Every structure is written in C-alpha cells, then in structure tokens.
Amino acid sequence: MSTPDSPRPPWDGRRIVLGVTGGIAAYKSIHLARRLTRLGAEVDVVLTRAAERFVTPLTFEGVTGRAVLTDLFSVEGAARHILLGREADAVCVAPATADFLARAAQGRADDLLTTTLLVARAPVLLCPAMNDRMWAHPQVQANADHCRAALGYELLGPDTGPLAVGEADGPGRLVEPDVVVDHLGRLLSPAGPLDGVPLLVTSGPTREALDPVRYLGNRSSGRMGFALAEAAWRRGARVTVVSGPTNRPEPTGVEVVRLESAREMAREVEARIGQVRVAIFAAAVADYRPALEPTSNKRKRDGNDWTVEFVQNPDIAATAIPGLADGGVAVGFALETEDLVDHAREKLRRKGFDLVVANPANEEGAGFEAPTNRVTLVTEGEAEALPTLPKEEVAERILDRVEGLLEARAHADSAADS
Ligand code: C5P
C-alpha cells in the first residue's frame, strides 16, 4: 500500500516555474505538474508556442489550479514574467527541446519562458528530451555544456530508452517525471550539515535460506530505509543503502547494494563503516538463521516432520558502530510491544546508538507494512513522541535530529580546538 502524495517538505509552499517546450514528451509534464502540486508546491506553468501544439493550457490549469501563461506580449504576460522569475524558488524546464537549449544558452528573451529564465536567480533544472541524433549533434552538446558550465543550470538526462522516432534506444528520452520531482526536491533543500557527508543506511528485511526455494524472512517493506536514503540525498549527503529484498522503487540519487542474508549485510556494512560519518540501521535483520547451511537441492516432502535448529546472527549495528569515524552519528530502530522508551534507551546504550527511533509493534498505522509510522525519538537525555506521519515525513524528522547531532559535534570540536 502506498500513501498518496501530500504536502511535505521541501516542496510544500514553494514556488516552481515549470517551463514546457514543444516536444512529444510534453505530455509527461502533466504528471510532473500534478505531483508537484500534490506535494504542496505552487506550480506556474509556462508553455512555449510549440508546446501548445502538444498539450493545452487547460490541462495544466486543471492539475495545478493556477492560470497557465503562454504569451509574453499581453499586459498580463509582460508583468508576470518579472514577478514569476523573481518569486520562483526553482525553475524547471521539462521537456527542454534542442531549440530551447539553444535559446537558453544564448540568453535570448524571445518568449515568456526564456525571459523568465533571465529574471530568475533561483536554481534552474533543465531536462532535455529530443531525438537521439539531435541530442548527439555537437552544437546541441555545446549548448547543453554552456548551460551547465557557464550559466550554472543543472541538466538532468536525457535517459536512454525507446524514443518516439528513434534510430535505436539512444539517449533522448525525458527523465521519468517522478525522478524530476526528486531532483527538484534536492534543489529546493537548503545546504545543511549533511551536505557532502558520506552516509550509510541498512534497509529492508533479510532472508535466511533453508534450501534453494525456502527462506525465513519478515514483513519489513524497506519503505522507511529507502525514504531515509532519498531524504538524506536531497539534503546533499552521499548515500549508500545496503538493502535486503524489497520491491519498493529505488531511491533517487543513491547507491543501492542488494543482498539477502544478515551475514551478507554484516559484510557489506563492515566494508563501509569506516568511510561514513552517519550510519542509520533501519533494516529488520533476522536475529536467527538456520544452523545448517542451505541445502543445494529442494527438500522433498517425505512423510516426516522437519525440525530446524536456529543459531544467532551477528548484531550488525552493535558490531559496526565502534568502527564509525570519530564524531560520527549512529541511529537505530526499536520495534517494541511494551515500555517503548525504556527498551529503546536500553538499546541505545547497549549498541552505542546516538538516537533510537522507537515504534510500537502492535499498532495500526505503525510498523512494518504500514505507509505511516508513529515514532518516539529517543536520545540519552530526552524522548520526543511524534504523531502518526507518512514514513517520508518521519524520515525528515529523523534527519533533522541527525543534522542537530552533527552540528553539536562540530561545535564541540571547535570549542576543544580553541
Ligand atoms: O535488538 P533489536 O533487533 O530490536 O535492535 C534493532 C536495531 O538493531 C535496529 O536498528 C536494527 O537495524 C539493528 N540490528 C542489527 N543487526 C541485528 C539486529 C538488529 O543491525 N542482527
């Protein structure tokens, strides 16, 4: 089950100018405008004349609830482009055609969109989409490079994949709108203490194999870990997730290391812990595994019972945390049925966490399979109970705390130096 988008940071309340230029991928920007609006952004869509051949202003007005702008040479257009550009928190052009890239690179002001671009001082994200041969043309490449290197615009894509009239599966496809949403989220996030910080997340369930077809698993969906990873990336962290099996969509901008068993996860974490400053242990690791190594053949039904003996798995967090660099921050989770805060604090001390996210195991709207969670953030000194929130929002609150801990460490270091 997934939650529908609801207004949340960093999109909520922000002003985004969405420029749509005249390519076949323009229809995908309807979804983009819709998602940004549902995330709480005020989306002002500016269509070029060519874009209007593919999509209509009415469609965008329907999904954004705001007037769509097309004409520079109207009383409204002339005044609005100055305001739009000045008030924008981000400008996104998707799709950006070859013609648009050329005009943007030259600093032209021959329509409402290019004019708005000249007025704006906010971050600009251009998402090129065109025929693969056009994209490969040296002049298009030069224009794209100029937009990136000289003008400071971020270019996203194009993706490689089937094109409307492509020669092959060459680069030319518009990046998926959901990924554009994520990148806009990153541009809208102010640089904070996580900027540039290497960060590791463990996520998802583990599987302990009995034979080639059977395993011992658990109900973790991996949603919390992936939400944390993506939110940390938006804040500028360099993120690796080691993840047990999950069918959640991969988080944008993050290196994902896929594995199955607790012992595999332990190896991957051990190999990385010395290079990260923040480690978040969100995985639901199997505490036990079958004592015998998995058989190579499927066990047949033979009329007898099957008794399996279990042995303990390594505690990944407890083993890894001493290897975290000085000044590093470790976050753990605690799924409890009773005495939430006491048990969480005991775990905090025993395993060496700086923060434990405690959540009730037996409550509707919280825990493994729910899209929401009701957590209490437990540190040595305090326990903050949050209301039931979507896991994406819980991730933001956890990272606010992680940033607070990093800042406190930095202050402590500079006080010790002076
Ligand atoms: O002791 P408990 O399993 O409740 O601890 C939960 C915390 O410890 C979580 O952060 C979980 O990711 C981590 N853990 C681990 N390796 C284990 C068991 C738990 O890293 N074998």
XYZ file of all heavy atoms in Angstrom, residues 51-126:
560
model
N 4.922 24.142 -27.572
C 4.364 23.194 -26.600
C 2.852 23.129 -26.718
O 2.243 22.071 -26.521
C 4.776 23.595 -25.184
N 2.244 24.279 -27.046
C 0.783 24.316 -27.144
C 0.258 23.431 -28.270
O -0.933 23.137 -28.321
C 0.312 25.760 -27.370
C 0.271 26.560 -26.092
C -0.418 27.887 -26.320
O -1.659 27.912 -26.287
O 0.301 28.885 -26.545
N 1.144 23.052 -29.203
C 0.719 22.110 -30.246
C 0.568 20.697 -29.690
O -0.078 19.842 -30.273
C 1.730 22.104 -31.411
C 2.024 23.460 -32.013
C 0.831 23.990 -32.809
N 0.565 23.176 -33.978
C 1.098 23.353 -35.180
N 1.932 24.360 -35.363
N 0.809 22.563 -36.193
N 1.255 20.434 -28.571
C 1.239 19.082 -27.994
C 0.289 18.949 -26.816
O -0.322 17.916 -26.613
C 2.653 18.697 -27.523
C 3.640 18.507 -28.628
C 4.434 19.556 -29.065
C 3.777 17.271 -29.249
C 5.344 19.385 -30.092
C 4.695 17.093 -30.279
C 5.475 18.147 -30.705
N 0.230 19.988 -26.004
C -0.602 19.943 -24.788
C -1.320 21.286 -24.651
O -0.847 22.289 -25.176
C 0.253 19.701 -23.516
C 0.685 18.253 -23.389
C 1.481 20.613 -23.498
N -2.422 21.290 -23.914
C -3.165 22.553 -23.833
C -3.004 23.193 -22.450
O -2.829 22.488 -21.457
C -4.679 22.338 -24.070
O -5.223 21.694 -22.914
C -4.933 21.502 -25.312
N -3.113 24.534 -22.417
C -3.063 25.226 -21.127
C -4.128 24.699 -20.171
O -3.892 24.547 -18.978
C -3.336 26.692 -21.491
C -2.932 26.819 -22.926
C -3.204 25.490 -23.551
N -5.275 24.357 -20.728
C -6.389 23.910 -19.892
C -6.013 22.681 -19.063
O -6.385 22.567 -17.891
C -7.591 23.602 -20.799
C -8.922 23.429 -20.088
C -9.317 24.701 -19.355
C -10.012 23.038 -21.102
N -5.275 21.769 -19.675
C -4.886 20.555 -18.940
C -4.043 20.930 -17.717
O -4.266 20.428 -16.614
C -4.038 19.635 -19.844
O -4.599 19.636 -21.141
C -3.968 18.233 -19.296
N -3.068 21.804 -17.934
C -2.203 22.187 -16.822
C -2.968 23.002 -15.781
O -2.713 22.870 -14.582
C -0.991 22.973 -17.342
C 0.038 22.083 -17.988
C 0.120 21.968 -19.359
C 0.920 21.339 -17.205
C 1.062 21.143 -19.954
C 1.866 20.511 -17.791
C 1.938 20.413 -19.170
N -3.898 23.823 -16.235
C -4.703 24.579 -15.267
C -5.530 23.625 -14.423
O -5.691 23.825 -13.218
C -5.601 25.590 -15.989
C -4.789 26.760 -16.503
C -5.611 27.849 -17.186
O -6.859 27.737 -17.218
O -4.981 28.784 -17.673
N -5.990 22.561 -15.072
C -6.768 21.556 -14.338
C -5.952 20.895 -13.230
O -6.469 20.662 -12.139
N -4.693 20.584 -13.495
C -3.910 19.854 -12.478
C -3.236 20.785 -11.466
O -2.967 20.376 -10.344
C -2.867 18.880 -13.083
C -3.538 17.797 -13.890
C -1.814 19.589 -13.901
N -2.962 22.045 -11.857
C -2.281 22.937 -10.895
C -3.251 23.873 -10.186
O -2.920 24.439 -9.146
C -1.222 23.832 -11.585
O -1.883 24.703 -12.521
C -0.177 23.002 -12.316
N -4.438 24.064 -10.777
C -5.383 25.021 -10.198
C -4.923 26.457 -10.365
O -5.399 27.356 -9.665
N -3.969 26.691 -11.252
C -3.445 28.051 -11.452
C -3.454 28.391 -12.932
O -3.339 27.499 -13.782
C -2.003 28.151 -10.931
C -1.916 27.923 -9.421
C -0.483 27.799 -8.981
N 0.240 29.068 -9.025
C 0.176 29.991 -8.088
N -0.606 29.807 -7.036
N 0.874 31.113 -8.185
N -3.533 29.693 -13.219
C -3.553 30.135 -14.616
C -2.239 29.783 -15.289
O -1.169 29.925 -14.699
C -3.781 31.642 -14.665
N -2.325 29.298 -16.500
C -1.127 28.949 -17.267
C -0.751 30.129 -18.145
O -1.623 30.803 -18.707
C -1.398 27.683 -18.107
C -0.331 27.484 -19.166
C -1.473 26.472 -17.188
N 0.533 30.381 -18.265
C 0.994 31.547 -19.012
C 1.637 31.121 -20.322
O 2.404 30.166 -20.359
C 2.002 32.310 -18.163
C 1.380 32.784 -16.847
C 2.434 32.979 -15.790
C 0.598 34.060 -17.078
N 1.293 31.834 -21.353
C 1.835 31.484 -22.658
C 2.388 32.692 -23.404
O 3.323 32.568 -24.184
C 0.735 30.853 -23.555
O -0.378 31.738 -23.580
C 0.306 29.497 -23.031
N 1.832 33.868 -23.152
C 2.090 34.986 -24.055
C 2.873 36.095 -23.369
O 2.440 36.634 -22.350
C 0.737 35.520 -24.557
C 0.921 36.480 -25.717
O 2.079 36.681 -26.138
O -0.098 37.019 -26.178
N 4.039 36.388 -23.923
C 4.833 37.497 -23.396
C 4.182 38.829 -23.714
O 4.219 39.768 -22.929
C 6.236 37.434 -24.018
C 7.256 38.494 -23.632
C 7.540 38.458 -22.142
C 8.554 38.274 -24.402
N 3.565 38.878 -24.906
C 3.057 40.162 -25.387
C 1.588 40.368 -25.021
O 0.749 40.616 -25.867
C 3.284 40.303 -26.894
C 4.746 40.223 -27.211
C 5.277 39.099 -27.819
C 5.606 41.257 -26.863
C 6.631 39.018 -28.084
C 6.960 41.171 -27.130
C 7.475 40.051 -27.743
N 1.295 40.174 -23.755
C -0.012 40.572 -23.264
C 0.275 41.429 -22.048
O 1.365 41.371 -21.476
C -0.834 39.343 -22.856
O -0.238 38.736 -21.733
N -0.700 42.225 -21.627
C -0.468 43.084 -20.468
C -0.083 42.211 -19.285
O 0.848 42.489 -18.540
C -1.743 43.908 -20.170
C -1.550 44.724 -18.897
C -2.062 44.799 -21.347
N -0.794 41.090 -19.153
C -0.527 40.204 -18.027
C 0.857 39.568 -18.157
O 1.639 39.551 -17.216
C -1.607 39.119 -17.964
C -1.795 38.618 -16.564
C -2.362 37.220 -16.516
O -2.535 36.594 -17.572
O -2.600 36.761 -15.411
N 1.162 39.077 -19.354
C 2.426 38.381 -19.578
C 3.629 39.250 -19.265
O 4.564 38.814 -18.591
N 3.604 40.498 -19.710
C 4.764 41.372 -19.533
C 5.074 41.581 -18.052
O 6.225 41.552 -17.632
C 4.491 42.710 -20.224
N 4.035 41.768 -17.261
C 4.284 41.995 -15.836
C 4.602 40.683 -15.123
O 5.436 40.648 -14.218
C 3.050 42.647 -15.217
N 3.931 39.643 -15.555
C 4.053 38.379 -14.832
C 5.437 37.762 -14.939
O 5.918 37.138 -14.012
C 3.021 37.350 -15.331
C 1.623 37.562 -14.810
C 1.497 37.396 -13.300
N 1.722 36.046 -12.821
C 0.801 35.110 -12.812
N -0.404 35.342 -13.258
N 1.085 33.907 -12.340
N 6.118 37.914 -16.091
C 7.399 37.217 -16.206
C 8.420 37.751 -15.222
O 9.249 37.011 -14.710
C 7.933 37.225 -17.640
C 8.576 38.507 -18.051
N 7.907 39.456 -18.760
C 9.824 38.977 -17.866
C 8.728 40.475 -18.988
N 9.898 40.202 -18.448
N 8.305 39.057 -14.932
C 9.231 39.625 -13.950
C 8.922 39.041 -12.567
O 9.803 38.553 -11.862
C 9.093 41.169 -13.897
C 9.309 41.787 -15.281
C 10.043 41.756 -12.862
C 10.738 41.819 -15.746
N 7.632 39.053 -12.231
C 7.228 38.522 -10.928
C 7.544 37.039 -10.804
O 8.100 36.583 -9.817
C 5.719 38.718 -10.741
C 5.277 40.060 -10.192
C 3.782 40.070 -10.003
C 6.000 40.350 -8.879
N 7.169 36.290 -11.850
C 7.397 34.841 -11.839
C 8.857 34.525 -11.592
O 9.207 33.712 -10.742
C 7.055 34.256 -13.216
C 5.665 33.787 -13.499
C 5.616 33.175 -14.884
C 5.249 32.780 -12.450
N 9.714 35.191 -12.357
C 11.148 34.936 -12.250
C 11.676 35.334 -10.890
O 12.482 34.625 -10.293
N 11.186 36.459 -10.380
C 11.712 36.947 -9.101
C 11.265 36.079 -7.941
O 12.002 35.873 -6.979
C 11.242 38.386 -8.877
C 12.032 39.351 -9.692
C 12.239 40.713 -9.088
N 11.295 41.152 -8.091
C 10.775 42.367 -8.083
N 11.058 43.209 -9.041
N 9.966 42.731 -7.120
N 10.052 35.588 -8.016
C 9.494 34.883 -6.858
C 9.742 33.381 -6.889
O 9.473 32.696 -5.908
C 7.984 35.147 -6.780
C 7.690 36.587 -6.401
C 6.213 36.901 -6.431
O 5.420 35.998 -6.756
O 5.868 38.053 -6.132
N 10.287 32.890 -7.995
C 10.459 31.431 -8.109
C 11.502 30.924 -7.117
O 12.540 31.546 -6.918
C 10.886 31.077 -9.532
N 11.205 29.771 -6.486
C 12.208 29.081 -5.669
C 13.009 28.116 -6.538
O 14.106 27.710 -6.164
C 11.521 28.304 -4.542
C 10.867 29.248 -3.538
O 11.571 30.153 -3.064
O 9.666 29.087 -3.259
N 12.437 27.719 -7.669
C 13.156 26.874 -8.632
C 12.470 27.013 -9.984
O 11.266 27.271 -10.054
C 13.145 25.413 -8.194
N 13.266 26.873 -11.035
C 12.720 26.858 -12.394
C 13.082 25.507 -12.998
O 14.223 25.049 -12.890
C 13.329 27.985 -13.262
C 12.767 27.923 -14.686
C 13.072 29.348 -12.642
N 12.080 24.856 -13.597
C 12.335 23.563 -14.234
C 11.796 23.622 -15.655
O 10.674 24.102 -15.868
C 11.612 22.473 -13.435
S 11.663 20.854 -14.211
N 12.588 23.188 -16.611
C 12.091 23.116 -17.990
C 12.098 21.651 -18.411
O 13.148 21.011 -18.495
C 12.937 23.970 -18.950
C 12.341 23.903 -20.365
C 12.986 25.420 -18.472
N 10.909 21.097 -18.625
C 10.782 19.683 -18.963
C 9.560 19.498 -19.871
O 8.459 19.810 -19.429
C 10.615 18.838 -17.699
N 9.708 19.022 -21.069
C 10.989 18.730 -21.718
C 11.645 20.016 -22.211
O 10.959 20.997 -22.497
C 10.560 17.854 -22.913
C 9.172 18.323 -23.243
C 8.543 18.699 -21.931
N 12.994 19.970 -22.287
C 13.745 21.071 -22.893
C 14.193 20.600 -24.274
O 14.973 19.655 -24.393
C 14.952 21.419 -22.020
N 13.670 21.239 -25.308
C 13.999 20.827 -26.692
C 15.369 21.394 -27.099
O 15.932 22.260 -26.426
C 12.954 21.392 -27.669
O 12.927 22.817 -27.501
C 11.583 20.809 -27.417
N 15.857 20.930 -28.254
C 17.123 21.442 -28.789
C 17.009 22.944 -29.035
O 17.930 23.716 -28.734
C 17.464 20.714 -30.087
N 15.872 23.362 -29.549
C 15.680 24.791 -29.816
C 15.710 25.592 -28.524
O 16.347 26.649 -28.442
C 14.334 25.003 -30.543
C 14.092 26.469 -30.833
O 14.890 27.060 -31.572
O 13.119 27.027 -30.282
N 15.072 25.068 -27.502
C 15.069 25.789 -26.232
C 16.490 25.877 -25.655
O 16.902 26.930 -25.154
C 14.135 25.128 -25.210
C 14.258 25.766 -23.869
C 13.631 26.976 -23.605
C 15.069 25.209 -22.889
C 13.804 27.605 -22.378
C 15.248 25.834 -21.667
C 14.599 27.030 -21.415
N 17.241 24.773 -25.723
C 18.615 24.795 -25.183
C 19.437 25.862 -25.895
O 20.238 26.575 -25.274
C 19.287 23.424 -25.352
C 18.790 22.299 -24.444
C 19.552 21.008 -24.765
C 18.973 22.651 -22.967
N 19.236 25.973 -27.224
C 19.983 26.972 -27.988
C 19.610 28.376 -27.520
O 20.479 29.234 -27.302
C 19.685 26.801 -29.479
N 18.322 28.605 -27.328
C 17.878 29.950 -26.918
C 18.325 30.253 -25.487
O 18.749 31.368 -25.180
C 16.359 30.054 -27.068
C 15.951 30.017 -28.552
C 14.491 30.329 -28.773
N 13.596 29.320 -28.232
C 12.627 29.572 -27.374
N 12.416 30.802 -26.949
N 11.844 28.601 -26.931
N 18.259 29.230 -24.616
C 18.690 29.449 -23.224
C 20.194 29.732 -23.186
O 20.653 30.616 -22.452
C 18.346 28.229 -22.371
N 20.957 28.981 -23.976
C 22.418 29.145 -23.967
C 22.799 30.550 -24.430
O 23.777 31.135 -23.960
C 23.067 28.085 -24.856
N 22.022 31.089 -25.372
C 22.331 32.422 -25.912
C 21.791 33.557 -25.049
O 22.056 34.726 -25.331
C 21.715 32.576 -27.297
C 22.455 31.809 -28.366
C 21.792 32.028 -29.716
O 20.981 32.932 -29.893
N 22.142 31.188 -30.661
N 20.988 33.214 -24.061
C 20.388 34.273 -23.245
C 19.337 35.060 -23.990
O 19.133 36.255 -23.736
N 18.656 34.388 -24.923
C 17.601 35.078 -25.688
C 16.418 35.390 -24.776
O 16.239 34.783 -23.722
C 17.139 34.185 -26.845
C 18.240 33.871 -27.842
C 18.398 34.994 -28.857
N 17.253 34.999 -29.752
C 17.187 34.281 -30.879
N 18.201 33.520 -31.235
N 16.138 34.359 -31.643
N 15.607 36.345 -25.228
C 14.403 36.721 -24.478
C 13.257 36.876 -25.460
O 12.599 37.898 -25.526
C 14.643 38.006 -23.711
N 13.055 35.800 -26.260
C 12.090 35.919 -27.347
C 10.745 35.279 -27.032
O 9.882 35.205 -27.890
C 12.684 35.346 -28.643
C 13.294 33.985 -28.439
O 13.155 33.422 -27.317
O 13.909 33.451 -29.376
N 10.584 34.781 -25.827
C 9.245 34.354 -25.391
C 9.179 34.438 -23.870
O 10.167 34.800 -23.206
C 8.860 32.967 -25.930
C 9.721 31.841 -25.364
O 10.556 32.115 -24.469
O 9.562 30.690 -25.807
N 8.031 34.111 -23.333
C 7.838 34.275 -21.890
C 8.796 33.400 -21.086
O 9.325 33.811 -20.047
C 6.376 33.933 -21.551
C 5.911 34.214 -20.136
C 6.109 35.668 -19.766
C 4.439 33.840 -19.999
N 9.050 32.175 -21.569
C 9.887 31.254 -20.802
C 11.346 31.721 -20.750
O 11.953 31.769 -19.673
C 9.784 29.833 -21.386
C 10.567 28.762 -20.645
C 10.174 28.703 -19.168
C 10.358 27.392 -21.293
N 11.918 32.051 -21.905
C 13.321 32.493 -21.889
C 13.466 33.799 -21.111
O 14.459 33.998 -20.404
C 13.868 32.682 -23.327
O 12.911 33.401 -24.099
C 14.175 31.355 -23.986
N 12.489 34.648 -21.216
C 12.549 35.921 -20.493
C 12.512 35.669 -18.990
O 13.282 36.255 -18.223
C 11.367 36.823 -20.913
O 11.272 36.797 -22.334
C 11.569 38.240 -20.462
N 11.642 34.779 -18.575
C 11.542 34.426 -17.149
C 12.876 33.880 -16.645
O 13.322 34.190 -15.541
C 10.418 33.376 -16.948
O 9.214 33.908 -17.473
C 10.235 33.026 -15.488
N 13.510 33.074 -17.482
C 14.792 32.473 -17.118
C 15.849 33.549 -16.837
O 16.687 33.401 -15.947
C 15.254 31.582 -18.288
C 16.148 30.400 -17.996
C 15.567 29.493 -16.939
C 16.368 29.614 -19.289
N 15.795 34.637 -17.607
C 16.787 35.706 -17.413
C 16.534 36.485 -16.127
O 17.459 37.021 -15.526
C 16.769 36.673 -18.609
C 17.217 36.092 -19.949
C 17.248 37.184 -21.006
C 18.592 35.440 -19.840
N 15.278 36.505 -15.705
C 14.944 37.250 -14.495
C 15.244 36.411 -13.247
O 15.640 36.923 -12.208
C 13.446 37.657 -14.516
C 13.065 38.366 -13.228
C 13.154 38.539 -15.725
N 15.095 35.089 -13.371
C 15.187 34.217 -12.197
C 16.619 34.151 -11.655
O 17.576 34.180 -12.422
C 14.717 32.818 -12.565
N 16.747 34.060 -10.338
C 18.045 33.808 -9.698
C 18.009 32.497 -8.908
O 18.968 32.143 -8.246
C 18.415 34.962 -8.765
C 18.650 36.277 -9.495
C 19.893 36.226 -10.401
N 20.042 37.459 -11.149
C 19.536 37.674 -12.375
N 18.842 36.703 -12.972
N 19.701 38.810 -12.988
N 16.899 31.815 -8.987
C 16.740 30.542 -8.270
C 17.429 29.427 -9.058
O 17.784 29.615 -10.222
C 15.245 30.241 -8.132
N 17.641 28.261 -8.435
C 18.221 27.139 -9.171
C 17.367 26.760 -10.385
O 16.134 26.843 -10.330
C 18.212 25.992 -8.157
C 18.000 26.615 -6.835
C 17.332 27.926 -7.045
N 18.046 26.364 -11.471
C 17.360 26.010 -12.720
C 17.687 24.560 -13.075
O 18.848 24.156 -13.067
C 17.813 26.946 -13.869
C 17.222 26.488 -15.199
C 17.417 28.394 -13.571
N 16.653 23.803 -13.363
C 16.822 22.402 -13.758
C 16.279 22.227 -15.179
O 15.092 22.479 -15.423
C 16.032 21.502 -12.794
C 16.085 19.994 -13.047
C 17.482 19.447 -12.775
C 15.077 19.274 -12.150
N 17.160 21.829 -16.089
C 16.721 21.602 -17.478
C 16.719 20.101 -17.759
O 17.694 19.407 -17.470
C 17.672 22.292 -18.468
C 17.929 23.789 -18.274
C 18.842 24.316 -19.386
C 16.622 24.577 -18.236
